[in-house]
Amino acid sequence: MLADKVTHDVEVLHGDIAQNQREVTLKRFREGKFNVLVATDVASRGLDIPNVDLVIQLEPPKDVETYIHRSGRTARAGKQGTCITFFTKKQEGYIKLIETKAGIKLKKIGAPQPQDIIKSSAKEVIKGFEKVDDEVLELFEETAQQLIESKGALKAVSLALAYISGTTEKIKKRSLLTGQELFVTFSLQTNEEFRGVSYVWGILKRLLPQNITDAIRGMRMYNDKKGVVFDVPEEHVDTVTELYKNEKESRRSMSYELEVAKELPDLFETENPQFEPPRQFGNRQNGGFNRNRGGFEQRNFGGFNQRNNENGNGYGNGNGLPNDFGRFGSRPNGNFNGNNQRFGSRNDGNPNYISKLRNTSLPNSRPNGFSQQNDRRNNFKPSNY
């Protein structure tokens, strides 16, 4: 969002930089020669740098000690400071772990809105005005006076700041919940506590047309269970606001309030936090979805897909089996031989047991039945034959 004209002096610090260069960088940072230091954890311990106002962590660490060291680079010697940590839904468990182990409560805020970033960029522009020499100003006074006369003083200055900061086009809305552009976060608050979001869905379906309710995304309940927040596509924002206004004017009292959210409240957590990314599927570990025991594709004992001449009895056709043959999990780990249509079964511990698939080409066979080839095998007869 910041234009190229609004810049910060930035230097980096990491383990691949020579020690003498690191010391030079830290010395320059302490002296205020630049105001942004991008660093790895090499800068998280043992550094006492005063006047650090803000620490930003791009993701939460997996242990509390690292978080404390990182955030401790600010608010030193009794001063105040801010530490902001970005995290995804899958990393939320680490935030809870930090809160529990460190005995602190972190304030959760939404993604920064474009308006806030633009206001910050305007402040940076003003700081740069101090560098302009007075003799240079004389070259702009005539044009500035003409602009003030045609636009007014306030609008003239605003136009100049907007152009200098690079903000000339219409600002795109952004969700407070996810940071996704072209979505606006709404807040609906009720007078009484409710058990679930189905209560709120009932309100919205009575107020809004179906095409808008179908477009609502990411509904989350307040921690006190007296409200929700949710995202609405930007093109529906005016319609939602107008319909609520009309509904409110037509009734003596309303049991709820609906407005565009300015900030996120404390939200009710409905899911257990996840501490590790989910295991990748497609490997040969148990529980996976591809060629794994208990999965859903090839080589799954008692699985659902076709067998491709592999072990097991699938629930579907394959290897020339008739469509109506087979029962789920009937002969785990049996081998099918397309030449003689025989199964080598190891269910009962007898590797020599062989059962033939009955079909019309074999004598004394019935369709889709099984001939008994071993007395030790449990008798099995399909119910319909």
Side-chain angles (χ1 to χ4, degrees):
M1 294 295 296
L2 297 180
D4 294 337
K5 299 181 182 65
V6 183
T7 61
H8 292 276
D9 294 327
V10 181
E11 293 193 17
V12 298
L13 191 68
H14 54 78
D16 293 335
I17 296 177
Q19 181 64 32
N20 59 344
Q21 181 59 48
R22 290 189 220 171
E23 294 175 357
V24 171
T25 300
L26 290 174
K27 184 176 182 295
R28 284 171 46 79
F29 188 51
R30 287 190 181 95
E31 295 173 350
K33 299 295 179 61
F34 63 95
N35 55 6
V36 176
L37 176 65
V38 179
T40 62
D41 278 336
V42 298
S44 67
R45 299 171 184 250
L47 299 180
D48 187 8
I49 302 175
N51 302 322
V52 175
D53 300 317
L54 175 65
V55 171
I56 298 177
Q57 302 189 47
L58 297 183
E59 62 179 6
K62 296 182 180 180
D63 60 281
V64 180
E65 184 180 1
T66 300
Y67 176 83
I68 293 174
H69 281 291
R70 289 179 182 176
S71 58
R73 297 313 96 198
T74 186
R76 303 187 68 81
K79 297 182 180 180
Q80 292 185 346
T82 302
C83 177
I84 296 176
T85 304
F86 297 123
F87 67 95
T88 64
K89 183 66 178 176
K90 292 181 179 179
Q91 295 171 326
E92 194 166 359
Y94 296 126
I95 299 296
K96 294 183 180 297
L97 178 65
I98 291 169
E99 290 180 326
T100 302
K101 293 291 184 68
I104 58 177
K105 180 64 177 177
L106 301 177
K107 181 181 179 181
K108 296 180 182 178
I109 59 177
Q113 295 298 294
Q115 297 90 330
D116 299 329
I117 298 175
I118 291 170
K119 289 178 181 178
S120 178
S121 69
K123 293 178 181 178
E124 293 297 324
V125 170
I126 293 175
K127 291 180 182 179
F129 288 171
E130 300 174 358
K131 300 177 181 179
V132 180
D133 190 274
D134 290 339
E135 293 184 1
V136 176
L137 290 178
E138 297 178 1
L139 303 176
F140 294 90
E141 287 180 355
E142 181 179 351
T143 304
Q145 185 63 40
Q146 294 175 357
L147 184 62
I148 292 172
E149 292 175 356
S150 61
K151 302 292 185 181
L154 180 61
K155 189 172 183 180
V157 175
S158 299
L159 285 169
L161 289 174
Y163 185 78
I164 294 172
S165 65
T167 308
T168 58
E169 299 180 356
K170 182 179 179 181
I171 302 171
K172 295 180 180 179
K173 303 294 184 180
R174 181 182 295 176
S175 164
L176 274 175
L177 282 168
T178 64
Q180 185 175 355
E181 289 187 343
L182 304 180
F183 278 87
V184 175
T185 302
F186 273 80
S187 169
L188 188 150
Q189 293 180 273
T190 61
N191 298 330
E192 298 180 355
E193 182 178 319
F194 52 87
R195 293 185 177 181
V197 296
S198 58
Y199 171 76
V200 178
W201 279 114
I203 294 176
L204 294 175
K205 288 180 179 179
R206 289 189 295 269
L207 175 68
L208 306 173
Q210 183 176 350
N211 67 311
I212 296 182
T213 56
D214 289 345
I216 291 175
R217 297 288 183 270
M219 185 176 291
R220 297 282 302 277
M221 190 160 57
Y222 280 26
N223 197 39
D224 63 4
K225 299 182 180 180
K226 290 185 177 181
V228 299
V229 287
F230 54 87
D231 285 341
V232 174
E234 184 178 3
E235 65 266 24
H236 297 317
V237 170
D238 291 340
T239 303
V240 172
T241 304
E242 187 66 25
L243 288 174
Y244 172 71
K245 180 181 177 181
N246 294 340
E247 180 74 8
K248 189 174 183 179
E249 291 175 351
S250 65
R251 300 175 63 174
R252 293 184 178 180
S253 63
M254 296 284 285
S255 60
Y256 64 93
E257 293 184 2
L258 180 64
E259 62 182 356
V260 175
K262 303 296 188 300
E263 60 181 6
L264 287 182
D266 290 335
L267 299 177
F268 181 71
E269 304 298 339
T270 57
E271 299 179 0
N272 294 326
Q274 300 182 27
F275 289 89
E276 294 291 346
R279 179 178 294 174
Q280 296 295 323
F281 300 116
N283 53 27
R284 296 183 63 85
Q285 299 177 1
N286 292 344
F289 287 110
N290 188 11
R291 303 177 68 85
N292 304 308
R293 299 179 184 233
F296 298 102
E297 280 193 345
Q298 299 173 13
R299 298 181 65 87
N300 300 317
F301 303 151
F304 295 100
N305 214 332
Q306 66 180 8
R307 313 312 301 165
N308 293 331
N309 218 12
E310 299 257 8
N311 294 337
N313 178 24
Y315 193 68
N317 62 357
N319 301 323
L321 291 177
N323 290 332
D324 58 347
F325 170 76
R327 60 192 180 96
F328 178 75
S330 60
R331 280 188 297 282
N333 211 17
N335 293 327
F336 175 71
N337 188 326
N339 296 328
N340 56 16
Q341 296 185 329
R342 296 160 71 85
F343 287 82
S345 175
R346 293 189 293 275
N347 285 12
D348 55 358
N350 180 7
N352 296 321
Y353 172 75
I354 294 177
S355 63
K356 290 185 178 180
L357 168 66
R358 284 183 178 268
N359 57 40
T360 55
S361 65
L362 296 176
N364 301 323
S365 298
R366 297 181 182 180
N368 295 342
F370 296 93
S371 61
Q372 300 293 340
Q373 299 295 321
N374 191 308
D375 293 336
R376 287 185 294 173
R377 180 171 175 83
N378 294 329
N379 293 329
F380 168 77
K381 294 182 179 180
S383 57
N384 298 320
Y385 88 101

